[in-house]
Amino acid sequence: AQRVTQPEKLLSVFKGAPVELKCNYSYSGSPELFWYVQYSRQRLQLLLRHISRESIKGFTADLNKGETSFHLKKPFAQEEDSAMYYCALSPSYGQAGTALIFGKGTTLSVSS
Amino acid sequence: NAGVTQTPKFQVLKTGQSMTLQCAQDMNHNSMYWYRQDPGMGLRLIYYSASEGTTDKGEVPNGYNVSRLNKREFSLRLESAAPSQTSVYFCASSEPPGQGSDTQYFGPGTRLTVL
């Protein structure tokens, strides 16, 4: 079954501390993986995707096919990083109208 | 560009009432989606439309119907609202791979409460 698991509902860190938001997936093919972020009172927006291999707002994520993981990392958390983060999988990448499978989300709270 | 717009932003219904949630996008995307967001459940797909003229069920379609009115608009209808449909509803759109970015763009959401 296709599934995205985010084991932590809430992650609380202090400003300047490293952050790792965990994401594991279950999918038999080659997945396309994403991290979406939802800041307070804002719409869901794409943070990054694994094929881009880029760093956005200091965040990076590496796809580990052996561990079926796509953890989101940032070396030094900022207060403005506080948000809900969703890991998502596209099970049929390359096909039109492919809906995403979302994890349940992790709330990141960064305090000073 | 407004991107993806949704109306209304908030709605309160009584059990058994009906309503339609509207979604429009001005990015000329072919594919559109309806998700619901519930605490502890993440986002779950209700229906999607891969292209104009087609619609398909997602993970949680029961109690909902959709209409892809044209390329821009994709509406979600609750024929007889139930308290279990209390949720935040998000519309999204995307372009198929090969025709530009397939990133999904989300609307601001509709917060629905069914009493």
Side-chain angles (χ1 to χ4, degrees), chain A residues 9 32 34 36 38 42-46 49 84 86 90 92-105, chain B residues 2-5 31 33 35 37 40-45 48-50 90 94 96-97 101-108:
Chain A
K9 281 189 176 180
E32 170 70 3
F34 306 80
Y36 278 80
Q38 187 176 27
Q42 294 187 27
R43 66 185 69 195
L44 206 66
Q45 57 186 287
L46 178 68
R49 54 196 301 173
M84 174 73 87
Y86 289 98
S90 178
S92 304
Y93 183 68
Q95 296 182 20
T98 300
L100 296 172
I101 298 171
F102 284 88
K104 294 183 178 182
Chain B
V4 180
T5 58
S31 302
Y33 314 83
Y35 295 91
Q37 182 185 41
M41 299 296 292
L43 277 81
R44 293 179 293 170
L45 181 69
Y48 70 98
S49 171
F90 287 100
S94 71
S101 171
D102 63 336
T103 298
Q104 291 195 13
Y105 294 86
F106 284 80

Side-chain angles (χ1 to χ4, degrees), chain B residues 70-88:
Chain B
N70 47 54
K71 191 172 185 180
R72 288 187 65 249
E73 299 171 289
F74 188 38
S75 63
L76 179 72
R77 183 161 178 83
L78 287 70
E79 290 292 350
S80 178
S84 61
Q85 294 177 305
T86 294
S87 187
V88 181

Side-chain angles (χ1 to χ4, degrees), chain A residues 12-48:
Chain A
S12 297
V13 301
F14 287 107
K15 179 181 172 181
V19 170
E20 183 178 50
L21 297 163
K22 290 184 168 51
C23 173
N24 289 90
Y25 66 91
S26 173
Y27 181 63
S28 57
S30 288
E32 170 70 3
L33 285 154
F34 306 80
W35 277 99
Y36 278 80
V37 61
Q38 187 176 27
Y39 299 103
S40 179
R41 302 183 187 281
Q42 294 187 27
R43 66 185 69 195
L44 206 66
Q45 57 186 287
L46 178 68
L47 180 62
L48 54 80

Side-chain angles (χ1 to χ4, degrees), chain B residues 8 10-11 21 28 32 42 61-62 85-86 92:
Chain B
F10 302 94
Q11 184 70 50
L21 281 65
N28 203 35
M32 297 185 73
N62 292 345
Q85 294 177 305
T86 294

